[in-house]
Amino acid sequence: MTDDDWKQLLNTVAEIQEFFQDGLVFIGGIAVYAHALSKEETAIFAAQSHDADFMILLSDYADLRDIEMLTPNRRLSKQQFVKQGFEFDVYVEGQTDLCVPVQEAVAFSEVKSGLRVACIEHLLVLKAKALADRRGTPKGDKDEDDVARMLLVADGIDKDKLTRLTDDLLLDLQKAVKGDAAMRLADGNSHKAKSLRMKINEKLQQVEEAHQLNYGGPTP
């Protein structure tokens, strides 16, 4: 994706955001980008995404259908549409099997870098599920990088927002952190990667402790 393409995608995302300011929450790479960009110390890790996925409440979905031509993807429990040449995946309240319910994601959403996005805790849960499905692929590497970015940008982990994390999903996050994400984010600089890995592991420990408090899950 060129810089011009990326700017066009961001403009298109902002246009959608303008129509649905409260009942829509962005997830995936665009949300990770917004979180990373929102803090000066992590803005360097903000990475472009090739698409933009979002969750939407059922009441707002009715309005979305009036302005966009949506195509159902029943196998993946989502809707899709194309706008300005970009494909958007839409996860509708009551019509998707994502591990974080739409209404919860909207309730705990935050505005970062001008976008309403899922909180870090929910993004970690969603990304852990994606990791389980795509490990060992180029997309799997990006998923690992996104986990590292989210842990770096997290100010702290709220256990009340992490109730959807299962033991298996926690294991996927732990595997992601043990990978090469820190080295990739450090552009191959081993000294910098070591420092990043320490920060990432500190945040992962907070996730583990929150999970332990919630469910008596596996200890670090």
Side-chain angles (χ1 to χ4, degrees):
M1 177 178 285
T2 67
D3 287 343
D4 286 342
D5 289 337
W6 176 238
K7 290 177 183 177
Q8 182 62 50
L9 176 57
L10 290 178
N11 288 337
T12 307
V13 165
E15 184 180 338
I16 295 171
Q17 165 96 21
E18 184 68 24
F19 276 110
F20 306 97
Q21 297 188 15
D22 298 318
L24 177 151
V25 55
F26 286 95
I27 58 175
I30 195 77
V32 177
Y33 169 86
H35 273 286
L37 194 66
S38 69
K39 297 174 69 174
E40 183 177 355
E41 61 269 32
T42 58
I44 189 174
F45 302 121
Q48 295 179 357
S49 177
H50 287 86
D51 50 25
D53 304 339
F54 60 85
M55 296 176 167
I56 191 167
L57 295 177
L58 189 60
S59 55
D60 289 287
Y61 172 61
D63 294 330
L64 179 64
R65 287 187 302 176
D66 290 338
I67 60 175
E68 302 294 345
M69 184 174 295
L70 291 113
T71 302
N73 185 328
R74 292 183 176 84
R75 184 177 66 85
L76 298 177
S77 302
K78 64 184 180 181
Q79 302 277 335
Q80 296 170 298
F81 70 93
V82 175
K83 189 177 184 67
Q84 302 295 337
F86 300 105
E87 185 175 284
F88 291 83
D89 288 347
V90 184
Y91 299 89
V92 184
E93 178 187 9
Q95 299 180 18
T96 180
D97 59 358
L98 289 181
C99 48
V100 176
V102 174
Q103 58 270 36
E104 270 188 43
V106 171
F108 287 111
S109 64
E110 304 170 356
V111 176
K112 297 291 184 180
S113 309
L115 290 181
R116 181 167 295 282
V117 296
C119 64
I120 287 292
E121 291 85 351
H122 284 167
L123 288 174
L124 283 169
V125 174
L126 292 166
K127 188 59 68 174
K129 182 62 172 67
L131 271 165
D133 296 336
R134 305 192 296 207
R135 187 174 304 281
T137 70
K139 284 187 175 181
D141 288 347
K142 184 181 184 302
D143 288 335
E144 289 186 356
D145 293 352
D146 281 345
V147 168
R149 291 185 179 97
M150 286 185 280
L151 290 171
L152 286 170
V153 79
D155 291 320
I157 298 297
D158 185 340
K159 71 179 182 62
D160 294 331
K161 299 177 182 178
L162 207 64
T163 58
R164 299 292 174 173
L165 185 68
T166 65
D167 290 353
D168 287 342
L169 292 176
L170 176 57
L171 288 173
D172 286 312
L173 292 178
Q174 292 168 332
K175 289 176 184 177
V177 169
K178 291 178 181 177
D180 297 325
M183 184 65 77
R184 288 191 291 266
L185 294 185
D187 294 324
N189 184 314
S190 57
H191 178 74
K192 184 178 179 181
K194 181 179 179 180
S195 176
L196 290 178
R197 193 173 289 110
M198 288 180 60
K199 294 177 182 177
I200 292 167
N201 278 307
E202 287 174 4
K203 297 294 178 62
L204 177 62
Q205 184 173 352
Q206 293 181 28
V207 172
E208 293 167 335
E209 290 170 351
H211 183 65
Q212 176 75 16
L213 289 171
N214 281 334
Y215 296 116
T219 56

